[in-house]
Amino acid sequence: MTEQTGNLTFGIIKPDAVRGGKTGGVISRIIDGGFKIRGMKLIHMTLAEAQGFYAVHRERPFFGELTTFMSSGPCVVLALEKEGGAVKAWRDLMGATDPSKADAGTIRKEFANSIGENAVHGSDSEENAALEIAYFFSRLELVNGE
Ligand code: CMP
């Protein structure tokens, strides 16, 4: 495994998209977008696990809604690699947090319904990408992606 964290980001296909049968569609968009999948698994977070993942948002008014939703069903967690900066490339492919503001051609424009249930998550920085990948994946679960 290389240690070029700048080329890695973390993503989630959220419970609304998994429940709605969009997992394959989102993964197609990821592959067509030129990402290599370095880690991928289906999980169902407990409320405590969702609260730990989103701890940075614990003072926000939507924290309860967010963590209840994220623990409401299975989701797919992903470690994604892309040369030249995976964090920005994945955020560009996802589109704006609020799908009503997302550009045409983005995943959220195509698959998301609301700001709370917005189909996908992506890290906002290289530092958080490394922390978020480590929250969900052991080293053995990450491959070189060739
Ligand atoms: P995500 O990228 O997973 O990171 C934090 C999440 O909080 C965000 O996507 C949204 O789904 C959610 N979020 C942000 N703003 C709101 C809001 N006003 N109401 C409900 N959820 C929100």
Side-chain angles (χ1 to χ4, degrees):
M1 188 175 87
T2 63
E3 299 294 342
Q4 296 169 299
T5 55
N7 293 331
L8 282 179
T9 193
F10 173 75
I12 303 179
I13 305 174
K14 294 188 179 186
D16 59 317
V18 174
R19 207 178 276 130
K22 313 298 186 194
T23 303
V26 174
I27 291 172
S28 287
R29 299 292 301 271
I30 289 168
I31 292 168
D32 292 348
F35 292 85
K36 289 178 185 167
I37 297 174
R38 295 269 305 272
M40 177 166 69
K41 60 184 174 181
L42 183 72
I43 64 165
H44 188 158
M45 274 184 263
T46 64
L47 182 60
E49 287 164 347
Q51 288 169 337
F53 177 68
Y54 280 115
V56 67
H57 295 306
R58 63 186 173 278
E59 305 298 338
R60 302 281 192 99
F62 55 81
F63 183 68
E65 182 187 332
L66 172 63
T67 54
T68 297
F69 164 62
M70 290 301 290
S71 57
S72 70
C75 59
V76 176
V77 289
L78 297 152
L80 301 174
E81 179 176 13
K82 191 166 190 193
E83 296 289 321
V87 169
K88 182 176 187 304
W90 175 228
R91 292 180 73 80
D92 287 349
L93 183 58
M94 288 193 300
T97 304
D98 182 347
S100 71
K101 296 179 182 147
D103 289 337
T106 63
I107 288 173
R108 285 174 172 149
K109 188 70 177 181
E110 183 174 357
F111 296 118
N113 298 314
S114 69
I115 192 167
E117 303 199 2
N118 60 355
V120 282
H121 163 82
S123 305
D124 62 4
S125 66
E126 288 180 21
E127 293 74 21
N128 282 337
L131 290 170
E132 292 177 358
I133 288 170
Y135 190 80
F136 289 105
F137 290 102
S138 72
R139 193 181 173 95
L140 277 173
E141 291 173 317
L142 298 170
V143 300
N144 279 322
E146 297 302 330

